[in-house]
Amino acid sequence: MGSSRLIKWLRIAKEASLLRTLRLIARTGIGRPRIWIYPDTHVSFGEGASFSGPGCLHVGRRWTGRRYLQSELVLGPRTCVEIRGDFSIYTGCAVAVNEGASLVLGNGYINHRVSIECYHRIEIGDGAAIAKGVTIRDSDAHSINGNSQISAPIVIGNRVWIGANATILKGVTIGDGSVVAAGAVVTRDVPAGSLVGGVPARVLKSNVTWS
């Protein structure tokens, strides 16, 4: 391990709950810190829950100068979290991956007070910027008028910006480079490079760029 990587690792270890992280490694046998658990984060893993991929996930992290909020990470039986890059889910989060489901993360971040409910599969690409209060949920949890498709996968592409308090619902694909306006409720696919907003969300502009 190079000196710069060692310094970065030590800084993370100082801020995160190192003892809880090491206990997690011992319990799951993941071999190295693919996941860092920060203070005031409740963690629960079902039998057969696993992590894969070369990346690193930070759960319950805080912004400098802010306080830690109560966070929760619950993985049901036979779930899988694939971590492809360096991804942070900030403090105040409620993340649940239910039995048999998969959560796939690239690199990027989700701001504080996010809610993720994964019943089937949720995939978030590289360069994601997801604002505070966002809800991502791939299931209705209940059937309406006998509808059998209660759950359907969500795919959030690369370099997608999702504004504060937006809601992303089941079966949605958000194309690369898109922007979801604050408070929008996304119920259908979003073309790449689009700005969408409203309830339900509709395309407001095409060929947008953001930085």
Side-chain angles (χ1 to χ4, degrees), residues 62-80:
R62 66 180 174 87
W63 295 105
T64 301
R66 300 292 185 93
R67 64 187 176 90
Y68 288 106
L69 305 173
Q70 291 292 325
S71 301
E72 184 174 64
L73 174 65
V74 177
L75 303 184
R78 298 177 302 284
T79 56
C80 179

Side-chain angles (χ1 to χ4, degrees), residues 122-152:
I122 295 174
E123 181 174 345
I124 301 175
D126 293 335
I130 300 177
K132 66 181 180 181
V134 168
T135 297
I136 303 172
R137 184 183 179 93
D138 70 354
S139 178
D140 297 332
H142 301 281
S143 174
I144 299 176
N145 292 334
N147 178 23
S148 60
Q149 190 178 21
I150 296 174
S151 304

Side-chain angles (χ1 to χ4, degrees), residues 23-107:
R23 285 175 177 170
L24 172 63
I25 293 171
R27 178 179 174 184
T28 62
I30 60 177
R32 63 181 180 82
R34 286 196 178 96
I35 176 170
W36 285 95
I37 306 299
Y38 288 74
D40 291 331
T41 301
H42 166 73
V43 178
S44 175
F45 293 124
E47 183 177 355
S50 64
F51 297 94
S52 65
C56 185
L57 173 63
H58 304 262
V59 181
R61 205 171 194 172
R62 66 180 174 87
W63 295 105
T64 301
R66 300 292 185 93
R67 64 187 176 90
Y68 288 106
L69 305 173
Q70 291 292 325
S71 301
E72 184 174 64
L73 174 65
V74 177
L75 303 184
R78 298 177 302 284
T79 56
C80 179
V81 178
E82 182 181 349
I83 311 163
R84 297 175 176 173
D86 192 10
F87 201 96
S88 294
I89 302 176
Y90 280 84
T91 189
C93 63
V95 179
V97 185
N98 292 277
E99 182 173 358
S102 299
L103 177 62
V104 180
L105 302 170
N107 65 66

Side-chain angles (χ1 to χ4, degrees), residues 179-197:
V179 178
V180 177
V185 177
V186 182
T187 61
R188 62 186 67 182
D189 290 352
V190 175
S194 298
L195 167 64
V196 299

